[in-house]
Amino acid sequence: MPWSREEIAQRAAQELQDGFYVNLGIGIPTLVANYIPDDVQVILESENGMLGMGPFPYPDQVDPDLINAGKQTISELPQTSYFSSADSFGMIRGGHINLAILGAMQVAQNGDLANWMIPGKMIKGMGGAMDLVAGVNKVVVIMDHTAKDGSPKFLKECNLPLTGSDVTDLLITNLAVFDFQGDQPTLIELAPGVDLEEIKEKTEAEFIISPDLKTN
Amino acid sequence: MNKLKNSASEALEGVLFDGMTIMAGGFGLCGIPEYLITALRDSGVKDITVISNNCGIDDFGLGLLLQTRQIKKMISSYVGENKTFEKQYMSGELELEFNPQGTLAERCRAGGAGIPGFYTKTGVGTVIAEGKEHKEFDGVTYILETGLVADLSLVKAWKADDEGNLVYRKTARNFNPVMATAGKVTIAEVEEHVPAGNFDPDHIHTPGIYVNGFIVGTEHKKPIEIMTTREYVA
């Protein structure tokens, strides 16, 4: 059984370390906040100008002046701080954020990432994604292993416009986990019931297999 | 000096001209100068280049200026959730320049601080880098981005004192402080005017030197784009 959205988020949450400052992208990455291990404390950054992002507010505590980068209403915590967009991206570009988790349309074997535009469709814009992948210390990318038509999304080269070049540190799909620390991506983990043959069949990128490959 | 103006139209008097560049603070609909945008619309000023992270929604915020076709060009990082925008952009009526959000913020900061350009890693290897100077520092490649200034900056703050010292509230701060520094003229819109001496000088976010005038809005609408809540658990 491939991992569900929630299970992908749960797997990504294992990358969080105690004391980390973390930026979570929109979509599945937002769910990661639900799976932070009990013995780990992280501080969530929202790039519209907030550190120490709390959970969604109770209905009677909604405040239009308090939203996250996905424009959702949120709440503050005792350790929360607010700052300008320039300060926010200063901490992102300055390498002060330990980890970012974001979604993707395509990833290439050299770590190139494409997640902001499809030619011919209305382009909404990159928002803060290009700054995050360029500035954050470790970039964890989450996506489905294949497109809806079954074609691979983990490729030799991206054919969509890039968000960043050679920026991916870890790729988590619904089928497997790849580490980009070496010269070539390394398959380090398989989702339950997924075998090597299936990964080879559904992956265009070249990768090596970890001697410690973890099966679930 | 008391920088309080009686109305948005009074605050903008003599400042507006066709073809001008205007910065507008805000992130989504959070921290946007509602009354000043409406006054811009009513003024009829046209062919504006607007520098703002987003372009409002169809019927609120900067979306109002799209309906009246007063905007010629947008410089933004994200423009989803706006059908009018999509229609005008696709038909070629509206020009659009995408900037990565951090690059946009830093361009405003640099412009306001008299810095004509800066190098950043953001966008290297992407379409954003095309045509821009590349330079290596300690083996890492960066691209040159330029500072931005505007003929007019419109910002939203929580409170102002007579001098135009500003304090923002929560995430409604966003682009407002940097844009306040980068306007040849900056007009603020606030929810409360406090007497001089009311602020702790250590807690002022934008010093009054950047603010030419401010207005007090009576009832800000502050629409919420995406309402998300949790339930009380007994």
Side-chain angles (χ1 to χ4, degrees):
Chain A
M1 271 272 282
W3 282 315
S4 65
R5 283 162 57 93
E6 286 73 20
E7 286 163 336
I8 293 176
Q10 213 168 348
R11 175 58 188 83
Q14 289 175 22
E15 301 305 314
L16 304 173
Q17 291 178 27
D18 199 36
F20 263 18
Y21 291 89
V22 178
N23 184 291
L24 301 178
I26 295 162
I28 302 179
T30 307
L31 300 176
V32 174
N34 300 335
Y35 300 102
I36 301 169
D38 288 342
D39 56 345
V40 170
Q41 276 203 331
V42 298
I43 294 186
L44 299 178
E45 199 245 4
S46 188
E47 65 263 29
N48 53 325
M50 179 183 198
L51 267 171
M53 184 167 55
F56 293 149
Y58 293 115
D60 57 348
Q61 287 169 6
V62 166
D63 184 338
D65 287 340
L66 182 44
I67 62 170
N68 64 19
K71 300 173 189 169
Q72 297 170 311
T73 48
I74 45 159
S75 65
E76 65 186 21
L77 301 169
Q79 70 268 35
T80 295
S81 58
Y82 299 110
F83 33 84
S84 75
S85 300
D87 288 329
S88 174
F89 284 95
M91 63 183 74
I92 289 166
R93 294 165 169 225
H96 304 281
I97 305 290
N98 301 100
L99 184 80
I101 302 178
L102 62 169
M105 297 169 184
Q106 294 178 340
V107 172
Q109 62 193 34
N110 70 341
D112 285 0
L113 166 69
N115 77 350
W116 75 284
M117 74 177 272
I118 300 173
K121 287 200 174 178
M122 176 63 198
I123 312 159
K124 292 183 171 185
M126 72 289 284
M130 286 191 180
D131 305 283
L132 285 161
V133 298
V136 172
N137 294 338
K138 181 171 180 178
V139 174
V140 175
V141 177
I142 287 175
M143 68 175 184
D144 282 333
H145 204 90
T146 55
K148 283 195 182 113
D149 65 0
S151 61
K153 296 171 71 169
F154 184 23
L155 305 168
K156 289 194 163 68
E157 273 181 44
C158 295
N159 52 41
L160 294 174
L162 297 185
T163 307
S165 182
D166 188 12
V167 293
T168 307
D169 293 301
L170 192 77
L171 169 64
I172 303 173
T173 75
N174 53 334
L175 303 182
V177 182
F178 297 88
D179 186 307
F180 285 70
Q181 277 176 53
D183 295 337
Q184 266 191 308
T186 307
L187 174 65
I188 58 169
E189 190 172 337
L190 293 169
V194 175
D195 62 21
L196 217 46
E197 286 313 305
E198 182 176 359
I199 297 297
K200 283 179 182 166
E201 183 193 322
K202 294 179 173 171
T203 308
E204 184 198 281
E206 286 172 18
F207 60 89
I208 54 177
I209 298 155
S210 166
D212 307 316
L213 178 65
K214 188 179 168 198
T215 52
N216 284 286
Chain B
M1 186 166 63
N2 192 336
K3 297 182 183 175
L4 173 67
K5 309 288 178 188
N6 292 314
S7 67
S9 53
E10 184 192 313
L12 297 177
E13 209 175 272
V15 177
L16 305 179
F17 59 93
D18 292 346
M20 72 188 303
T21 299
I22 299 176
M23 284 185 187
F27 184 96
L29 298 179
C30 182
I32 64 171
E34 301 178 11
Y35 287 91
L36 291 167
I37 290 170
T38 306
L40 267 189
R41 181 195 63 187
D42 296 344
S43 77
V45 62
K46 57 182 193 288
D47 296 329
I48 318 169
T49 294
V50 175
I51 302 168
S52 188
N53 189 51
N54 317 94
C55 197
I57 55 173
D58 291 87
D59 54 0
F60 202 75
L62 291 169
L64 296 177
L65 303 182
L66 288 175
Q67 286 181 355
T68 50
R69 296 186 155 73
Q70 287 167 276
I71 302 178
K72 184 182 74 175
K73 180 179 177 181
M74 282 298 305
I75 300 178
S76 302
S77 87
Y78 186 86
V79 295
E81 285 85 61
N82 191 323
K83 287 264 177 299
T84 316
F85 190 103
E86 192 170 335
K87 215 158 47 181
Q88 291 184 18
Y89 174 68
M90 290 308 220
S91 71
E93 273 179 85
L94 181 66
E95 290 173 55
L96 171 60
E97 178 188 316
F98 274 128
N99 281 201
Q101 197 174 137
T103 294
L104 183 63
E106 188 64 13
R107 291 184 76 190
C108 298
R109 196 195 70 81
I115 297 169
F118 59 92
Y119 291 96
T120 179
K121 270 194 295 189
T122 300
V124 171
T126 76
V127 291
I128 293 301
E130 285 171 12
K132 288 175 185 161
E133 186 198 323
H134 287 57
K135 189 165 173 154
E136 239 180 64
F137 295 87
D138 293 330
V140 181
T141 304
Y142 297 77
I143 53 173
L144 178 66
E145 296 281 3
T146 55
L148 283 171
V149 288
D151 298 307
L152 172 65
S153 281
L154 302 179
V155 300
K156 163 73 174 49
W158 184 28
K159 295 177 181 182
D161 65 10
D162 294 351
E163 160 62 16
N165 293 315
L166 303 179
V167 171
Y168 306 93
R169 186 170 178 274
K170 303 186 188 284
T171 56
R173 190 183 316 187
N174 55 63
F175 281 84
N176 287 298
V178 280
M179 289 185 167
T181 68
K184 288 174 194 159
V185 174
T186 292
I187 306 293
E189 170 178 326
V190 302
E191 292 169 49
E192 195 182 335
H193 171 209
V194 301
N198 188 277
F199 286 148
D200 180 338
D202 272 328
H203 293 175
I204 287 165
H205 296 138
T206 293
I209 189 172
Y210 297 112
V211 179
N212 299 82
F214 67 90
I215 60 157
V216 183
T218 42
E219 271 180 44
H220 281 89
K221 289 207 183 77
K222 297 192 189 180
I224 290 172
E225 272 187 83
I226 305 175
M227 174 76 81
T228 43
T229 57
R230 64 183 147 146
E231 281 171 21
Y232 282 104
V233 182

